[in-house]
Amino acid sequence: MENESLWYIFINASLISNFVLAYFLGICPFLGVSGKLDTATKMGGAVTFVMLISSMCAYGINALLIAINAPFLQLISYIVVIASTVQLVEMFVKKMSPALFRALGIFLPLITTNCAILGLALFQTNKGYGFIESLVYALGAGIGFTLALVLMAGIRQRLDFADSPKVVKGTVITLLIAGILSLSFMGFSGLGG
Amino acid sequence: MSQLVKDPKEKSFFTTLAESPSTNEFIKGIWKDNPVFVQVLGMCPVLAVTNTAENALAMGFATTFVLVMSNILVSLLRNVIPKEVRIASYILIIATFVTITDYAIQAISVDLHKSLGAFISLIVVNCLILSRAEAFASKNTFIPSVLDALGMGLGFVLALFSLGALRELLGNGSLFGMSIFSDNFQEWIVMILPAGGFFTLALWLLLFNILKERRSHGK
């Protein structure tokens, strides 16, 4: 895994193994926040930001845990770091831009339980990525998440005007569309070499 | 004295059992408030590891174990944990049990550990467990919390199994690794791909919606 180019890592995280559509990470916000294009974009941005920070922290923590020979603390320390990062971001956003804070609302604290972020930290550790590779991986994953969310939101906004049967409204039709999106993202496999 | 006389209206043992509140805590998770099909919680593992029936069952039981243990601990500690830091404490409790489960599965079967991969660790962020800790165990005593966790866990196992079995059957033509159909069976490759997970879950939810619709029409 040492010789993966940065470009490949980026393309792999964002398109080929898209976190939402291939790994099923972050399905909850994907189903919950994808109703409106506007919120979806902002949510994607916030998640990407938290991903970048927690990826950096996870890299440091992992090195530390290996140094003190306590890998069983990995999961607990990752989740604590992610929770505190989200808290920090929340305070930062509240101070710097109250308007954005109001727009994101409840979804900001909910990023903590977004499995995409913990998944990212675990995957980068399992793959043995270095610092720069981890950052690129996090950026790719964040952009991939945003892309999936925005695509879904766009489709769902159009769907509001469609005359779909009552029984498939809501989650069922969203899942069906997600399946079709997932199929189409498979077309990216082999890209980036 | 009146208790000795057999009252014709007296409920049978099973009706009493079915109507007692503790059974209700147990049953509601399996059917009425099924975590996956009704509450749509904990979607990530539901979709990710249900490509075979075996993986689905293993994941379901691992989650149930964590759910029961964390519900026990949360219900016992509910008066000790300060309100302000309760969510953080719950997550720490859950993370501890997930670490235990992770190492236990690795000890039992390395193959299984490999095929479930990072998703065992990701039980930590399963919204189902946190939501039961917050919505139920933090407000109830020991026994109801255990029953609630068992019911919810069983409902989760059932849901995972119904997805995993269907996907393995159609995608691989097998069940628990045993071939079911004749050699002429053309596998539906799409069912074991990620997309198949979305489609299968959509179909099960559709079935539940149709049943609900029928029932409300019947009334």
Side-chain angles (χ1 to χ4, degrees):
Chain A
M1 290 281 173
E2 287 304 311
N3 49 11
E4 282 179 13
S5 68
L6 292 179
W7 174 242
Y8 176 74
I9 292 176
F10 180 77
I11 291 292
N12 188 36
S14 57
L15 295 178
I16 303 170
S17 312
N18 186 286
F19 266 52
V20 179
L21 298 169
Y23 284 156
F24 303 113
L25 296 171
I27 294 288
C28 299
F30 181 61
L31 297 180
V33 198
S34 61
K36 269 194 190 152
L37 202 55
D38 187 38
T39 352
T41 324
K42 283 176 180 156
M43 181 70 185
V47 168
T48 312
F49 184 66
V50 176
M51 269 181 174
L52 278 171
I53 293 183
S54 56
S55 158
M56 275 190 269
C57 297
Y59 178 76
I61 288 176
N62 191 43
L64 182 75
L65 287 181
I66 288 173
I68 63 169
N69 204 9
F72 53 88
L73 285 177
Q74 194 189 53
L75 196 56
I76 296 182
S77 34
Y78 280 5
I79 194 81
V80 170
V81 163
I82 291 171
S84 6
T85 314
V86 172
Q87 195 78 53
L88 257 174
V89 171
E90 197 181 341
M91 291 193 299
F92 183 75
V93 171
K94 198 175 181 179
K95 195 88 183 159
M96 298 306 284
S97 159
L100 181 61
F101 182 74
R102 272 195 301 277
L104 285 174
I106 180 73
F107 300 119
L108 207 50
L110 276 184
I111 298 178
T112 311
T113 47
N114 184 338
C115 29
I117 293 170
L118 185 63
L120 172 88
L122 291 168
F123 284 146
Q124 76 175 33
T125 318
N126 287 351
K127 291 187 176 183
Y129 283 158
F131 185 69
I132 301 289
E133 286 162 327
S134 297
L135 272 188
V136 173
Y137 191 55
L139 190 68
I143 288 177
F145 180 81
T146 316
L147 182 66
L149 208 61
V150 167
L151 277 177
M152 195 62 181
I155 296 175
R156 276 180 75 175
Q157 270 188 343
R158 296 294 292 271
L159 210 65
D160 284 343
F161 303 109
D163 185 23
S164 50
K166 203 181 148 204
V167 280
V168 301
K169 277 221 162 83
T171 322
V172 177
I173 192 100
T174 315
L175 282 169
L176 282 175
I177 293 168
I180 297 169
L181 272 182
S182 166
L183 270 185
S184 56
F185 263 66
M186 278 178 54
F188 288 121
S189 59
L191 204 71
Chain B
M1 279 315 241
S2 61
Q3 279 174 341
L4 292 175
V5 184
K6 180 112 177 131
D7 184 359
K9 276 189 207 157
E10 197 183 3
K11 292 163 186 159
S12 78
F13 171 70
F14 287 106
T15 356
T16 330
L17 192 70
E19 282 170 9
S20 81
S22 53
T23 318
N24 187 36
E25 305 300 357
F26 182 66
I27 297 291
K28 74 170 193 292
I30 300 178
W31 185 251
K32 203 179 82 213
D33 284 337
N34 187 296
V36 176
F37 295 139
V38 181
Q39 300 184 56
V40 201
L41 282 176
M43 282 295 109
C44 311
V46 170
L47 294 164
V49 297
T50 51
N51 45 4
T52 66
E54 191 190 340
N55 282 357
L57 274 188
M59 188 66 195
F61 284 119
T63 310
T64 309
F65 170 76
V66 176
L67 188 56
V68 172
M69 296 311 280
S70 58
N71 253 17
I72 289 176
L73 213 61
V74 167
S75 75
L76 288 178
L77 293 176
R78 69 184 189 284
N79 296 324
V80 187
I81 300 174
K83 220 176 167 170
E84 294 79 22
V85 295
R86 63 181 196 289
I87 300 287
S89 328
Y90 299 161
I91 288 185
L92 278 185
I93 292 173
I94 295 168
T96 313
F97 285 115
V98 171
T99 310
I100 296 173
T101 318
D102 190 20
Y103 279 82
I105 290 180
Q106 207 168 1
I108 295 167
S109 159
V110 178
D111 287 340
L112 189 62
H113 189 263
K114 237 179 227 154
S115 65
L116 290 179
F119 284 99
I120 305 173
S121 311
L122 285 174
I123 297 177
V124 178
V125 278
N126 192 328
C127 3
L128 167 65
I129 297 177
L130 192 63
S131 85
R132 284 339 283 170
E134 164 75 2
F136 198 91
S138 62
K139 296 185 188 93
N140 286 282
T141 47
F142 178 72
I143 305 277
S145 301
V146 175
L147 285 172
D148 175 76
L150 278 176
M152 285 290 165
L154 218 59
F156 193 66
V157 171
L158 264 178
L160 279 182
F161 179 71
S162 48
L163 253 95
L166 188 65
R167 282 179 72 186
E168 192 184 348
L169 197 65
L170 295 177
N172 250 340
S174 63
L175 204 58
F176 290 109
M178 286 180 296
S179 241
I180 299 285
F181 301 114
S182 70
D183 293 342
N184 294 329
F185 178 70
Q186 187 70 45
E187 289 103 349
W188 302 16
I189 301 290
V190 66
M191 290 311 258
I192 42 175
L193 294 176
F198 285 117
F199 289 138
T200 321
L201 183 63
L203 291 180
W204 278 111
L205 285 176
L206 182 63
L207 183 73
F208 264 66
N209 278 358
I210 291 173
L211 285 179
K212 241 189 278 175
E213 192 86 340
R214 281 265 171 85
R215 197 170 298 165
S216 62
H217 271 294
K219 265 178 194 169

